Amino acid sequence: MRMVLFTVLTVSTLAVPPVSGQEVGAGARAGAVGNNLGNSSTAIAYVSPEKAFAESAAGKAARTEFEKLQAEKSRAIDKRNEALRAQQAAYETSATIMTEAARSQRQKELQKFQIDVERFIEVAQAELTGARRELEGAFLAKLRPAVEQVAKVKGLQLVLNADTGAVVWGQPSLDITPDVVKELSAAAVK
């Protein structure tokens, strides 16, 4: 399940207070931020929300719930499609002995049923999309505090989302995903 998540999870305030009497304009703020980012004491890490979703109990439970709903919708769609095929087959076998009016009426009924099946599929897909969004939102509600807790414990100032392309490369030691998964498990027990 592809998740669209947040790019930056935690950002500390990177600003230098103005020298007394000096107004801080946009240029001064940009210089202060640039100076702080160059500071070797800035603690940065990254996390993969998708990996956390795949490895955590909360993510696995959400995926299982979604797959169950998806299978249920798939069975219902298959049942409707089978009924449509059966009606089409019955029409084809009896069309030659029907009157023109009966044949025309039966074709209209088949078209209506086909439209109903298509609408049913669209509604099922919309329900699945809604369910996916709800499950992702619920997971994000659990993920954010876990990331914040890990960032706080590790003294991090910035945590990047590895799944959005914001991190092109990073030392594996900067990946806090395993710690976030542990925090998610600990939070679930509380």
Side-chain angles (χ1 to χ4, degrees):
M1 180 182 318
R2 180 86 178 137
M3 298 178 63
V4 178
L5 302 174
F6 39 91
T7 300
V8 177
L9 300 169
T10 307
V11 179
S12 66
T13 305
L14 299 174
V16 177
V19 177
S20 61
Q22 179 184 11
E23 184 177 325
V24 178
R29 275 190 230 106
V33 171
N35 289 339
N36 279 342
L37 289 177
N39 185 349
S40 64
S41 66
T42 302
I44 298 174
Y46 62 90
V47 66
S48 170
E50 288 180 19
K51 186 176 177 184
F53 185 83
E55 294 179 0
S56 69
K60 289 176 184 176
R63 184 176 42 254
T64 300
E65 183 179 336
F66 180 78
E67 288 170 353
K68 180 181 172 187
L69 179 62
Q70 192 174 30
E72 178 182 307
K73 296 294 180 188
S74 181
R75 282 190 302 274
I77 289 170
D78 289 345
K79 185 177 177 181
R80 298 267 175 126
N81 278 327
E82 184 59 36
L84 177 61
R85 283 190 292 272
Q87 287 186 18
Q88 287 172 334
Y91 168 75
E92 289 172 7
T93 58
S94 62
T96 57
I97 59 172
M98 289 182 178
T99 65
E100 185 62 33
R103 193 172 26 252
S104 176
Q105 177 64 30
R106 188 66 182 133
Q107 284 176 342
K108 288 177 185 177
E109 290 171 0
L110 279 172
Q111 287 173 344
K112 182 184 180 304
F113 190 68
Q114 183 172 0
I115 290 169
D116 289 346
V117 170
E118 290 169 0
R119 285 185 185 144
F120 182 81
I121 291 170
E122 289 173 4
V123 168
Q125 289 172 337
E127 288 174 0
L128 287 172
T129 299
R132 176 181 292 133
R133 286 186 183 140
E134 285 180 26
L135 293 169
E136 288 173 357
F139 181 76
L140 279 176
K142 296 173 185 174
L143 182 68
R144 285 181 191 266
V147 171
E148 290 172 4
Q149 180 62 29
V150 170
K152 182 178 177 182
V153 168
K154 292 187 172 278
L156 300 174
Q157 294 173 317
L158 181 68
V159 177
L160 300 173
N161 182 337
D163 298 334
T164 62
V167 177
V168 177
W169 180 86
Q171 284 283 352
S173 62
L174 297 176
D175 184 2
I176 61 168
T177 305
D179 298 319
V180 170
V181 170
K182 288 176 189 170
E183 182 61 31
L184 283 167
S185 296
V189 174
K190 292 178 186 177

